[in-house]
Amino acid sequence: MTSHQTTQTMKPATAAKKLGVYLEATPAEFQEGVVSRSELNALQTDPPEWLVELRRNGPHPRPVVAAKLGVSISGLARGGVTEALTTEQIEALKQELPEWLQKERATQAEVRKETVRIKEKNKEKEQGKDAKGDA
């Protein structure tokens, strides 16, 4: 029985997500085709000029915008940001520092602190179980 390897492909939207770029800003040939795993790897290791430019200047997808602003995707929506933003627009928001952005950054900081606290608590619990098991 011989097995043949099929080429794993993905939709352009999936590839764009993995590349961290806004699909609608990619070239038409990228949007209209399918992307193989090897093509994706090639794009990641040796990105063409359009990909370098998109990553540098945008427009960026919401997850990238949220990360650059230090807020959650939900926080972006609460702040009224529903569209992709360019690097220039993101920098302008950082300079303006509107009230919603300040609040969302504070919320995000609290969430991170709580996540660390829970992780530490669970770690201590695990260590306590290990110590009892050894006795």
Side-chain angles (χ1 to χ4, degrees):
M1 191 184 286
T2 56
S3 63
H4 65 286
Q5 190 89 22
T6 57
T7 305
Q8 186 180 11
T9 60
M10 61 194 84
K11 294 177 184 174
T14 304
K17 191 173 187 178
K18 289 181 182 285
L19 292 169
V21 295
Y22 186 57
L23 178 63
E24 285 76 9
T26 61
E29 60 269 12
F30 181 86
Q31 292 180 38
E32 294 162 4
V34 292
V35 180
S36 72
R37 175 68 61 194
S38 59
E39 288 170 333
L40 179 70
N41 291 340
L43 286 169
Q44 288 172 323
T45 44
D46 188 22
E49 187 56 37
W50 65 264
L51 182 54
V52 172
E53 192 62 27
L54 265 181
R55 285 178 169 166
R56 184 182 309 125
N57 299 316
H60 303 286
R62 286 182 311 158
V64 174
V65 174
K68 287 178 180 268
L69 289 174
V71 300
S72 67
I73 294 172
S74 300
L76 279 181
R78 284 189 293 271
V81 178
T82 56
E83 300 294 316
L85 298 180
T86 63
T87 301
E88 193 176 301
Q89 291 169 313
I90 293 168
E91 291 306 315
L93 270 174
K94 286 180 177 179
Q95 293 299 313
E96 284 175 29
L97 208 59
E99 190 176 329
W100 71 264
L101 182 55
Q102 293 174 41
K103 284 181 183 175
E104 292 301 333
R105 281 181 167 177
T107 300
Q108 192 69 6
E110 286 300 315
V111 167
R112 286 188 186 116
K113 259 199 293 199
E114 183 64 6
T115 302
V116 168
R117 187 190 69 76
I118 290 170
K119 202 175 200 178
E120 290 298 317
K121 187 176 178 183
N122 289 341
K123 194 175 179 181
E124 287 171 14
K125 243 188 223 178
E126 276 303 310
Q127 288 172 343
K129 282 183 186 175
D130 290 348
K132 284 181 183 176
D134 291 343

